Amino acid sequence: MLRIEFFHDVICSFCFPMSARLRAIVRELSNVEVVHKSFALGWTEEDFIQMFGSRKQVKPEVLTHWAHANENDEQHRFNIEGMRAESFDFPTSRNGLLAAKAAGLVGGQMMYWEVFDKLQEGLFVQNKNIEDPSVIESLVKQTSIDFDEWQSQFAAPETVQAVEEDFRLAQTYNLQGVPALIVNEKYLISGAQPAEVILDNLKKIAEKEQTTIQLEVMGDNKAACQLEDGKWACE
C-alpha cells in the first residue's frame, strides 16, 4: 500500500489540476491511500502584506500564476477575467483550510476531498471569496456532508490544532511549496506534474517498497518456531 500525503492549499492554483489528476490516479491504482494535509500560502492578511507589500497587490500577481496553472490544467477551468472583475481582495488560506479540515474530521479523507474540491471550484471557476464564512457555508451545503456537524466542527478549537499539526509536519519534511505528494514518508513528488509522470513514479516506488529486505543473521536461530516444509518446527 502506498500512503500519499497530499499537501495543498485551497488558494493554490496548481493544486486545482493536481487534485483532479490524483483522483484519476486513485481510480486506476488500487494500492493507494490519500491523506490530505494543509499548507498555507497566505494564512493571514499580514502574511500577504509581508509577501506582496500590500493586500491590494496580491490579486494582480496571483492572476499571473492562474494563467500558468490554467495551461497546466487539462480542462482549462480557470476563470481569470471573471476573478479580475471581482472587487474583493484575494482570499487568505485560513478559513478555507479550516473548512476542509473540519470536513475531514467529520467524514474522513474522502469528505475532506469533496469539500476541498468544492472550495477550489468556488474560487477558480466561480470566482467566489472563499475567505468569507458565508460563501464557504454556501459551498459546503452543495456537498454531501452533514452541514450541522460540519458547522460545529468548523468552529471547534481542535480543527485549528489539526491544521497547525499539518503545518508542523510540512516543516518536518522541509516542504517549501505545494502541491506536494509525500509517499510512505520517504519520497517527494513535487509540483503539478503530468499524470503519466506521477503514475510512473508511484509504480517505481511501489516496486521499491515491495523489495524483500535481506537480513543478516546474528548468532544462531535456535529457541524459535519456524516453518519447514509447510509444518511448524520448534526447537
Side-chain angles (χ1 to χ4, degrees):
M1 177 64 71
L2 298 180
R3 184 177 185 271
I4 300 175
E5 292 170 302
F6 179 19
F7 283 85
H8 49 219
D9 190 351
V10 288
I11 66 171
C12 165
S13 55
F14 282 97
C15 295
F16 192 37
M18 184 64 167
S19 180
R21 279 176 208 147
L22 194 55
R23 280 188 178 277
I25 287 169
V26 168
R27 288 192 294 268
E28 182 169 342
L29 300 180
S30 60
N31 62 334
V32 167
E33 173 194 12
V34 177
V35 180
H36 297 278
K37 298 294 182 181
S38 310
F39 186 102
L41 295 173
W43 182 243
T44 66
E45 181 176 7
E46 288 71 26
D47 292 330
F48 275 160
I49 293 172
Q50 183 177 358
M51 287 184 283
F52 295 92
S54 73
R55 185 74 187 265
K56 293 296 182 184
Q57 287 296 112
V58 180
K59 186 188 291 187
E61 174 64 27
V62 167
L63 288 182
T64 65
H65 305 167
W66 282 31
H68 296 301
N70 194 48
E71 293 176 3
N72 183 274
D73 181 30
E74 290 86 352
Q75 302 174 61
H76 308 298
R77 294 167 291 171
F78 288 78
N79 185 358
I80 298 172
E81 293 309 314
M83 185 61 177
R84 199 186 312 276
E86 293 291 342
S87 60
F88 61 83
D89 290 330
F90 193 79
T92 57
S93 308
R94 188 181 193 279
N95 288 343
L97 287 177
L98 291 175
K101 182 61 72 175
L105 292 172
V106 167
Q109 294 300 320
M110 292 307 294
M111 189 60 70
Y112 180 114
W113 210 345
E114 182 181 352
V115 170
F116 177 83
D117 281 353
K118 180 59 67 175
L119 292 170
Q120 288 220 301
E121 178 189 338
L123 175 61
F124 298 122
V125 180
Q126 302 172 19
N127 305 135
K128 295 183 180 295
N129 182 5
I130 61 169
E131 183 178 342
D132 184 336
S134 65
V135 171
I136 291 173
E137 289 181 358
S138 69
L139 291 168
V140 170
K141 286 178 179 177
Q142 297 173 36
T143 70
S144 60
I145 200 168
D146 182 298
F147 180 78
D148 291 335
E149 284 190 53
W150 171 85
Q151 192 174 43
S152 177
Q153 188 64 60
F154 179 64
E158 68 181 284
T159 303
V160 179
Q161 294 167 7
V163 170
E164 291 174 343
E165 286 176 8
D166 289 349
F167 295 166
R168 287 190 287 271
L169 182 59
Q171 291 177 341
T172 300
Y173 286 136
N174 196 31
L175 292 182
Q176 303 299 313
V178 286
L181 307 180
I182 303 293
V183 186
N184 288 3
E185 301 181 341
K186 292 189 288 185
Y187 309 93
L188 168 63
I189 299 174
S190 180
Q193 299 186 32
E196 60 272 18
V197 174
I198 299 171
L199 265 173
D200 184 57
N201 284 323
L202 289 176
K203 290 175 181 177
K204 289 178 180 177
I205 291 170
E207 290 176 2
K208 285 185 178 181
E209 293 294 285
Q210 289 176 355
T211 302
T212 301
I213 299 174
Q214 185 65 44
L215 300 177
E216 180 182 355
V217 178
M218 308 297 290
D220 59 46
N221 60 351
K222 294 182 178 180
C225 292
Q226 305 177 65
L227 277 174
E228 295 181 0
D229 298 324
K231 297 180 180 179
W232 285 110
C234 298
E235 59 179 40

